[in-house]
Amino acid sequence: MEVVGLLLCLAAVVLAWGFLWVWDSWERMKSPEQAGLPGAGSRTLLVTAHPDDEAMFFAPTVLGLARLRHQVSLLCFSSGNYYNQGEIRKKELLQSCDVLGIPPSNVMIIDNRDFPDDPGVRWDTERVADVLLRHVEADRINLVVTFDAGGVSGHSNHAALYAAARTLHAEGKLPKGCSVLTLRSVNLLRKYLSLLDLPCSLLLARDALFVLSRREVAQAQKAMSCHRSQLLWFRHLYMLFSRYMRINSLHFL
């Protein structure tokens, strides 16, 4: 009995320590200074490849930055016209952004043959970089948020955005004080662990971590539901199980 009691006490101590550690990590996550993020009033540009990327992958970041009182704009590099649904998807994007708190005046959709919605086409890095830099300078952006080299889903259009942002950063072309934050890609198992991935996300190195509350998860799912043309059966499962609808881990270049 004494051994059982000792083990129970030990388990209670471990659980209490774990709770306090998670709580401390949560409190540090909410502090922009601790995370190295610009403060309230900063101008942030979210750079995506297709309509629905903003909700499917970046909703925790958009809503998390809203908590920190950032002014978020969206630059989408295509209309998502792979199945000739470009006009429909533009409207869906504006509806989704409205749910996420990004006004129509802050949404720019590039509908250009240089950047087709096609995983088989590699977008030219220099052309993407030129367009991106023009928007960063024109809107006096402090923070650029986009995909990492893995592009979360491995889509070549996603990876092209990272390549362009990395080029601008490496060549010192971004305005002084403008930094680049990239969304971390994870393996397939972690991708569909939903909130069960939180301990792993807390343990692994990152520069910023955004975790949605229950109310915010419903808001993110509502934004994704605006993309009706894309809501095939497997996307409903994605909304239920994907960590990217709840958790975003990001790294600075």
Side-chain angles (χ1 to χ4, degrees):
M1 290 295 294
E2 290 182 2
V3 173
V4 173
L6 182 62
L7 289 174
L8 288 174
C9 288
L10 182 61
V13 169
V14 170
L15 286 173
W17 177 86
F19 174 81
L20 291 173
W21 179 78
V22 170
W23 178 265
D24 179 64
S25 297
W26 176 264
E27 289 299 314
R28 284 187 283 111
M29 274 194 306
K30 295 190 292 184
S31 169
E33 291 80 10
Q34 291 294 333
L37 295 173
S42 296
R43 304 173 70 89
T44 296
L45 181 66
L46 173 61
V47 184
T48 62
H50 318 106
D52 76 11
D53 289 348
E54 80 295 335
M56 186 179 293
F57 304 120
F58 290 98
T61 297
V62 173
L63 296 175
L65 290 173
R67 279 190 235 126
L68 301 178
R69 300 184 181 179
H70 280 219
Q71 300 175 39
V72 180
S73 299
L74 173 69
L75 176 61
C76 184
F77 265 81
S78 81
S79 63
N81 200 40
Y82 189 70
Y83 293 108
N84 298 314
Q85 296 177 311
E87 293 306 314
I88 294 172
R89 298 193 68 186
K90 287 179 185 179
K91 294 175 183 177
E92 292 173 345
L93 175 59
L94 292 175
Q95 293 168 359
S96 171
C97 285
D98 183 61
V99 172
L100 293 173
I102 305 175
S105 58
N106 285 13
V107 179
M108 171 61 70
I109 305 170
I110 298 173
D111 197 354
N112 189 311
R113 286 181 297 179
D114 288 337
F115 311 121
D117 173 13
D118 188 339
V121 175
R122 292 184 64 86
W123 293 351
D124 183 84
T125 300
E126 291 301 322
R127 288 183 180 177
V128 176
D130 287 344
V131 173
L132 175 55
L133 183 58
R134 285 203 303 270
H135 284 275
V136 167
E137 291 176 336
D139 296 331
R140 304 189 306 279
I141 296 300
N142 307 114
L143 178 66
V144 173
V145 178
T146 193
F147 295 98
D148 70 358
V152 178
S153 64
H155 200 297
S156 63
N157 297 165
H158 298 177
L161 300 181
Y162 169 78
R166 182 189 60 192
T167 296
L168 292 174
H169 180 267
E171 296 179 356
K173 292 182 177 179
L174 291 171
K176 184 178 181 181
C178 180
S179 51
V180 179
L181 199 58
T182 62
L183 179 62
R184 180 171 186 163
S185 299
V186 298
N187 61 50
L188 191 63
L189 175 62
R190 288 188 60 199
K191 187 174 182 179
Y192 292 105
L193 280 178
S194 188
L195 271 178
L196 294 176
D197 186 62
L198 182 57
C200 191
S201 296
L202 288 167
L203 282 168
L204 295 175
R206 81 279 174 186
D207 293 314
L209 180 64
F210 294 109
V211 181
L212 297 186
S213 65
R214 183 180 301 177
R215 179 186 61 79
E216 289 170 330
V217 168
Q219 188 177 354
Q221 291 174 337
K222 182 179 179 182
M224 186 60 203
S225 296
C226 292
H227 295 280
R228 295 176 186 85
S229 67
Q230 306 303 301
L231 288 183
L232 303 175
W233 66 268
F234 57 87
R235 291 260 163 74
H236 290 280
L237 293 177
Y238 180 93
M239 285 194 286
L240 286 174
F241 296 109
S242 175
R243 75 186 290 278
Y244 289 99
M245 297 294 295
R246 294 159 177 80
I247 304 169
N248 276 176
S249 302
L250 304 103
H251 291 264
F252 282 112
L253 290 182

